Amino acid sequence: MCDPVTISLAVAGAAASYVGQQQAASAQEASNASARQLSIQNQDIQIKSLQNAEDEDSRRASEALIDNQKSAQAARATAQVSAGESGVSGLSIDSLLQDLSMQESLNKQDILQTQDFGQRQRQLDREGVGITTSSQINQLPVVEYPSFLEHAASVGTAAYGSYQKKQEQTRQKQKV
């Protein structure tokens, strides 16, 4: 027969181990949830920051387009007035006005292209933030809850070991 004290100690040890592992797993799960939430909050803040920068770039581009248009209109008006005052007309003034319009168009194209490059970079930055956040979350430790069956088996193994030891002691006493 098994020693009741040994069995009781094995059961108590297995139960304490199971409860301790259960608590450790719960604590790790809570820590993971907190880390996951912080990663997501950080991602949201970074994306808002990128959106603010993009909005600021758009505002500057709009102002630059308006300034470009005003400058071109002023240059054309000045050229027309100057040409009219000096009595110049024909192809030379038409060419000058056309050149001013082309310069306005090139400046506008440059402003819009710079804005487009900025928007594409911000999109890449947003994607990078998302990948970084996913990576941080995926690197969180895996929570492993203890197996009740495993602990019950350890109690059974301890009881069987105690039984075998008792049997061996009984055999030794019988030989003497």
Side-chain angles (χ1 to χ4, degrees):
M1 191 88 171
C2 295
D3 179 17
V5 173
T6 304
I7 293 173
S8 295
L9 289 175
V11 168
S17 175
Y18 178 79
V19 168
Q21 289 177 5
Q22 187 80 11
Q23 289 173 341
S26 293
Q28 184 63 57
E29 192 170 275
S31 176
N32 284 0
S34 176
R36 185 177 302 109
Q37 185 61 33
L38 288 173
S39 291
I40 291 169
Q41 285 175 344
N42 183 46
Q43 174 186 6
D44 292 345
I45 289 169
Q46 288 184 41
I47 287 175
K48 285 177 186 175
S49 176
L50 290 169
Q51 186 61 49
N52 287 343
E54 190 171 332
D55 292 345
E56 180 65 23
D57 287 349
S58 291
R59 186 189 60 77
R60 273 187 292 220
S62 293
E63 289 174 359
L65 289 170
I66 291 169
D67 290 346
N68 180 51
Q69 184 180 24
K70 285 180 181 179
S71 295
Q73 286 173 343
R76 281 191 296 270
T78 300
Q80 287 175 331
V81 168
S82 295
E85 287 176 351
S86 60
V88 177
S89 64
L91 289 177
S92 61
I93 191 65
D94 289 342
S95 179
L96 176 61
L97 293 174
Q98 196 173 37
D99 186 49
L100 290 172
S101 291
M102 184 179 74
Q103 189 59 47
E104 176 189 16
S105 179
L106 290 174
N107 287 344
K108 178 180 177 181
Q109 186 178 20
D110 185 49
I111 291 166
L112 293 174
Q113 190 175 40
T114 299
Q115 182 183 20
D116 183 54
F117 288 153
Q119 288 172 340
R120 285 191 278 163
Q121 183 59 50
R122 297 284 187 302
Q123 181 57 35
L124 290 172
D125 291 345
R126 279 190 284 275
E127 290 173 16
V129 167
I131 290 169
T132 299
T133 300
S134 293
S135 176
Q136 289 171 340
I137 290 171
N138 289 337
Q139 290 178 9
L140 293 173
V142 175
V143 177
E144 293 186 30
Y145 281 90
S147 165
F148 182 77
L149 184 60
E150 188 178 300
H151 284 83
S154 74
V155 170
T157 302
Y160 181 72
S162 174
Y163 173 75
Q164 289 291 17
K165 185 176 180 184
K166 188 74 163 172
Q167 290 290 66
E168 183 62 33
Q169 288 173 348
T170 304
R171 280 194 291 264
Q172 292 294 329
K173 286 182 184 179
Q174 287 176 353
K175 287 184 184 179
V176 175

